[in-house]
Amino acid sequence: MELIDGKAIAAQLVAEVGAGVAALRSRSGIVPGLAVVLVGDDPASGIYVRRKLAATAAAGIRSFEYRLAVDTPQAALLVLIDELNANADVHGILVQLPLPAQIDPLLVLDRIAPEKDVDGFHPVNVGRLSSGGGGLVPCTPLGCMKLLDRVIDDYHGLNAVVIGKSNIVGKPVALLLLEREATVTVTHIHTRGLPDIVRAADILVVAAGSPGLVRGDWVKPGAVVIDVGINRIIGPDGRPIIVGDSVMDALGHARAVTPVPGGVGPMTIACLLENTLRAARSIIGEE
Ligand code: NAD
């Protein structure tokens, strides 16, 4: 079984984006800029934002950080988004989710200019993805596809099963697999007979947030497994550890799997940088 090294592949992508940023800067004087907005003090969100900001610096992308109080009114956040939409130094806008209860996330995501929507959650980008591409694609699904591309040359007719139907991972990854002309089945918490559906999969993308969900005997020999899950559990020695949604030790007969941590996670951040560079190029009319 091959372990798909997301950490190394992501490092390579960050270096490529860094080279692209430097080239853009020397031919146009433009430095791509990413605005990251965090509302409240959720510790997990704080960690994600810190990682994202560190990665932007590594790629030569300028970052603009906005930390707002947990009781920030929705109207104030919308005013900030309007300002960022109008700011020529900002090419990408990311509002870290989840947002506090007084703020409607859909309203906020709808307010971001589609060409600066580096998370790919604006309805215009969602629509472009479902009608065949051209827009900004959500980072985690994009990262999953880049990992799959390392081990799969031809998707035509392969059976792909996606576990999870969220707007952030499951649905967009299913659309990307469909675009490659795999035969795609999307499953979720109410799916009946999940193990047998999974047993038919040449490609399995699991994004359920359920540790140990996918067992070894669910996985077809020779299948490729992308494990998106990030679950904090207590390990055998009583300390917290991060695990995915599959029982990794039982997947020896798979052809290739992504480890957790070190698989999809680093790719998500690298794809955010790539999307920011793409957004900058597109805003200045290069793409
Ligand atoms: P979500 O809670 O929005 O959606 C989970 C989906 O999985 C739902 O559609 C649900 O029906 C399905 N599901 C849950 N339990 C199931 C079960 N037992 N059987 C079948 N289906 C089941 O979650 P999400 O935002 O899509 O995230 C999913 C997982 O991926 C989480 O662990 C999250 O932390 C992780 N994640 C990782 C990254 C990354 O960068 N690696 C990014 C986003 C999410």
Side-chain angles (χ1 to χ4, degrees):
M1 178 189 71
E2 177 186 346
L3 271 184
I4 306 173
D5 187 347
K7 214 171 156 186
I9 297 167
Q12 199 182 330
L13 180 56
V14 172
E16 282 165 22
V17 172
V21 167
L24 178 67
R25 187 179 190 157
S26 69
R27 68 177 175 268
S28 68
I30 303 279
V31 179
L34 174 68
V36 179
V37 182
L38 176 63
V39 187
D41 43 21
D42 175 62
S45 294
I47 293 170
Y48 291 140
V49 162
R50 233 184 0 261
R51 284 193 192 145
K52 287 169 184 173
L53 291 170
T56 53
I61 291 173
R62 186 183 294 162
S63 62
F64 303 84
E65 189 182 350
Y66 297 86
R67 288 180 181 269
L68 308 184
V70 69
D71 59 355
T72 299
Q74 178 171 282
L77 179 56
L78 294 177
V79 167
L80 173 61
I81 306 272
D82 290 343
E83 283 168 12
L84 296 173
N85 284 340
N87 184 338
D89 292 332
V90 171
H91 305 93
I93 302 170
L94 181 155
V95 178
Q96 184 66 43
L97 301 177
L99 289 165
Q102 75 277 14
I103 300 176
D104 175 358
L106 291 181
L107 206 64
V108 171
L109 297 176
D110 284 11
R111 192 70 159 241
I112 296 172
E115 67 275 16
K116 296 190 177 185
D117 168 40
V118 284
D119 258 340
F121 297 153
H122 188 282
V124 164
N125 286 315
V126 175
R128 287 195 176 130
L129 178 60
S130 64
S131 61
L136 288 159
V137 175
C139 304
T140 301
L142 196 57
C144 291
M145 294 311 296
K146 286 181 191 290
L147 295 177
L148 281 170
D149 287 345
R150 291 294 174 125
V151 287
I152 296 174
D153 294 327
D154 184 4
Y155 290 76
H156 286 98
L158 292 181
N159 282 336
V161 171
V162 179
I163 306 182
K165 61 161 192 66
S166 72
N167 292 333
I168 293 174
V169 190
K171 280 187 211 159
V173 89
L175 287 167
L176 291 167
L177 286 161
L178 199 55
E179 204 50 41
R180 302 277 218 283
E181 295 181 331
T183 302
V184 183
T185 306
V186 183
T187 66
H188 49 80
I189 191 84
H190 298 295
T191 297
R192 295 184 190 146
L194 183 60
D196 281 336
I197 296 172
V198 172
R199 280 186 191 107
D202 304 301
I203 298 168
L204 173 64
V205 179
V206 51
S210 176
L213 173 66
V214 174
R215 277 153 285 135
D217 68 340
W218 290 24
V219 172
K220 180 174 168 178
V224 178
V225 180
I226 303 292
D227 191 338
V228 186
I230 299 179
N231 307 291
R232 283 175 185 78
I233 63 163
I234 300 302
D237 62 357
R239 294 154 75 123
I241 53 167
I242 303 283
V243 297
D245 288 345
S246 53
V247 183
M248 191 68 71
D249 297 349
L251 299 186
H253 57 290
R255 183 173 135 215
V257 307
T258 57
V260 178
V264 177
M267 290 304 289
T268 297
I269 294 183
C271 290
L272 170 68
L273 306 180
E274 187 184 54
N275 274 352
T276 305
L277 175 59
R278 265 197 68 201
R281 281 191 181 141
S282 151
I283 287 167
I284 66 168
E286 279 197 2
E287 274 187 8

Short mmCIF file of all heavy atoms in Angstrom, two decimals, residues 246-269:
data_model
loop_
_atom_site.label_atom_id
_atom_site.label_comp_id
_atom_site.label_asym_id
_atom_site.label_seq_id
_atom_site.Cartn_x
_atom_site.Cartn_y
_atom_site.Cartn_z
N SER A 246 -11.06 6.57 8.59
CA SER A 246 -10.87 5.16 8.23
C SER A 246 -9.92 4.51 9.22
O SER A 246 -9.10 5.19 9.84
CB SER A 246 -10.32 5.05 6.80
OG SER A 246 -9.18 5.85 6.67
N VAL A 247 -10.03 3.19 9.32
CA VAL A 247 -9.13 2.44 10.19
C VAL A 247 -7.89 2.12 9.37
O VAL A 247 -7.82 1.13 8.64
CB VAL A 247 -9.81 1.14 10.70
CG1 VAL A 247 -8.89 0.41 11.67
CG2 VAL A 247 -11.14 1.44 11.34
N MET A 248 -6.93 3.04 9.47
CA MET A 248 -5.76 3.01 8.58
C MET A 248 -5.04 1.65 8.61
O MET A 248 -4.67 1.12 7.57
CB MET A 248 -4.81 4.12 9.05
CG MET A 248 -3.69 4.42 8.11
SD MET A 248 -4.28 5.15 6.60
CE MET A 248 -4.78 6.74 7.16
N ASP A 249 -4.89 1.06 9.80
CA ASP A 249 -4.13 -0.19 9.92
C ASP A 249 -4.77 -1.32 9.14
O ASP A 249 -4.11 -2.31 8.82
CB ASP A 249 -4.04 -0.61 11.40
CG ASP A 249 -3.29 0.40 12.22
OD1 ASP A 249 -2.68 1.29 11.60
OD2 ASP A 249 -3.32 0.32 13.46
N ALA A 250 -6.08 -1.19 8.87
CA ALA A 250 -6.79 -2.29 8.21
C ALA A 250 -6.86 -2.12 6.69
O ALA A 250 -7.52 -2.89 6.02
CB ALA A 250 -8.20 -2.39 8.79
N LEU A 251 -6.16 -1.11 6.17
CA LEU A 251 -6.31 -0.81 4.73
C LEU A 251 -5.12 -1.30 3.89
O LEU A 251 -4.88 -0.79 2.80
CB LEU A 251 -6.47 0.71 4.53
CG LEU A 251 -7.70 1.35 5.20
CD1 LEU A 251 -7.81 2.82 4.80
CD2 LEU A 251 -8.98 0.63 4.82
N GLY A 252 -4.41 -2.30 4.43
CA GLY A 252 -3.20 -2.78 3.76
C GLY A 252 -3.41 -3.22 2.32
O GLY A 252 -2.49 -3.17 1.51
N HIS A 253 -4.61 -3.65 1.99
CA HIS A 253 -4.85 -4.15 0.63
C HIS A 253 -5.30 -3.03 -0.33
O HIS A 253 -5.52 -3.28 -1.51
CB HIS A 253 -5.93 -5.24 0.67
CG HIS A 253 -7.20 -4.77 1.28
ND1 HIS A 253 -7.33 -4.48 2.62
CD2 HIS A 253 -8.38 -4.46 0.72
CE1 HIS A 253 -8.55 -4.03 2.86
NE2 HIS A 253 -9.21 -4.01 1.72
N ALA A 254 -5.45 -1.81 0.20
CA ALA A 254 -5.76 -0.69 -0.71
C ALA A 254 -4.51 -0.40 -1.55
O ALA A 254 -3.39 -0.75 -1.17
CB ALA A 254 -6.14 0.55 0.10
N ARG A 255 -4.73 0.27 -2.70
CA ARG A 255 -3.56 0.59 -3.52
C ARG A 255 -2.82 1.79 -2.94
O ARG A 255 -1.59 1.81 -2.89
CB ARG A 255 -4.03 0.92 -4.94
CG ARG A 255 -2.90 1.20 -5.87
CD ARG A 255 -3.42 1.35 -7.29
NE ARG A 255 -2.84 2.50 -7.92
CZ ARG A 255 -3.46 3.28 -8.79
NH1 ARG A 255 -4.70 3.03 -9.13
NH2 ARG A 255 -2.83 4.28 -9.33
N ALA A 256 -3.57 2.78 -2.51
CA ALA A 256 -2.95 4.00 -1.97
C ALA A 256 -3.94 4.66 -1.02
O ALA A 256 -5.15 4.63 -1.26
CB ALA A 256 -2.59 4.95 -3.11
N VAL A 257 -3.43 5.23 0.05
CA VAL A 257 -4.29 5.95 1.01
C VAL A 257 -3.58 7.22 1.46
O VAL A 257 -2.35 7.31 1.40
CB VAL A 257 -4.65 5.08 2.25
CG1 VAL A 257 -5.24 3.74 1.87
CG2 VAL A 257 -3.46 4.89 3.16
N THR A 258 -4.39 8.19 1.92
CA THR A 258 -3.79 9.41 2.49
C THR A 258 -3.74 9.24 4.01
O THR A 258 -4.72 8.83 4.62
CB THR A 258 -4.63 10.65 2.16
OG1 THR A 258 -5.97 10.45 2.64
CG2 THR A 258 -4.66 10.92 0.69
N PRO A 259 -2.60 9.57 4.63
CA PRO A 259 -2.53 9.50 6.08
C PRO A 259 -3.27 10.66 6.73
O PRO A 259 -3.52 11.68 6.09
CB PRO A 259 -1.03 9.62 6.36
CG PRO A 259 -0.48 10.38 5.20
CD PRO A 259 -1.36 10.06 4.02
N VAL A 260 -3.65 10.50 7.99
CA VAL A 260 -4.17 11.61 8.81
C VAL A 260 -3.41 11.59 10.12
O VAL A 260 -3.41 10.56 10.80
CB VAL A 260 -5.68 11.45 9.09
CG1 VAL A 260 -6.17 12.59 9.98
CG2 VAL A 260 -6.49 11.37 7.82
N PRO A 261 -2.70 12.65 10.49
CA PRO A 261 -2.51 13.89 9.72
C PRO A 261 -1.48 13.70 8.60
O PRO A 261 -0.87 12.64 8.50
CB PRO A 261 -2.00 14.86 10.79
CG PRO A 261 -1.38 14.01 11.86
CD PRO A 261 -2.06 12.69 11.82
N GLY A 262 -1.33 14.72 7.77
CA GLY A 262 -0.29 14.68 6.73
C GLY A 262 -0.82 14.29 5.36
O GLY A 262 -0.03 13.96 4.47
N GLY A 263 -2.14 14.27 5.19
CA GLY A 263 -2.72 13.93 3.88
C GLY A 263 -3.40 15.15 3.29
O GLY A 263 -2.75 16.04 2.73
N VAL A 264 -4.73 15.18 3.44
CA VAL A 264 -5.53 16.25 2.83
C VAL A 264 -5.29 17.60 3.52
O VAL A 264 -5.30 18.65 2.86
CB VAL A 264 -7.03 15.87 2.88
CG1 VAL A 264 -7.89 16.99 2.31
CG2 VAL A 264 -7.28 14.57 2.12
N GLY A 265 -5.08 17.60 4.84
CA GLY A 265 -4.95 18.85 5.60
C GLY A 265 -3.98 19.85 4.98
O GLY A 265 -4.36 20.99 4.67
N PRO A 266 -2.71 19.45 4.78
CA PRO A 266 -1.75 20.41 4.20
C PRO A 266 -2.14 20.86 2.79
O PRO A 266 -1.84 21.99 2.39
CB PRO A 266 -0.43 19.63 4.17
CG PRO A 266 -0.62 18.43 5.03
CD PRO A 266 -2.08 18.18 5.17
N MET A 267 -2.82 19.97 2.04
CA MET A 267 -3.22 20.34 0.67
C MET A 267 -4.26 21.45 0.67
O MET A 267 -4.29 22.28 -0.23
CB MET A 267 -3.81 19.11 -0.05
CG MET A 267 -2.82 18.06 -0.39
SD MET A 267 -1.45 18.66 -1.39
CE MET A 267 -2.25 18.97 -2.96
N THR A 268 -5.12 21.45 1.70
CA THR A 268 -6.16 22.48 1.76
C THR A 268 -5.52 23.87 1.82
O THR A 268 -5.93 24.79 1.09
CB THR A 268 -7.04 22.24 3.02
OG1 THR A 268 -7.68 20.98 2.87
CG2 THR A 268 -8.08 23.33 3.19
N ILE A 269 -4.50 23.99 2.63
CA ILE A 269 -3.84 25.30 2.77
C ILE A 269 -3.08 25.65 1.49
O ILE A 269 -3.14 26.78 1.00
CB ILE A 269 -2.94 25.32 4.01
CG1 ILE A 269 -3.83 25.19 5.26
CG2 ILE A 269 -2.10 26.59 4.07
CD1 ILE A 269 -3.12 25.25 6.57
#
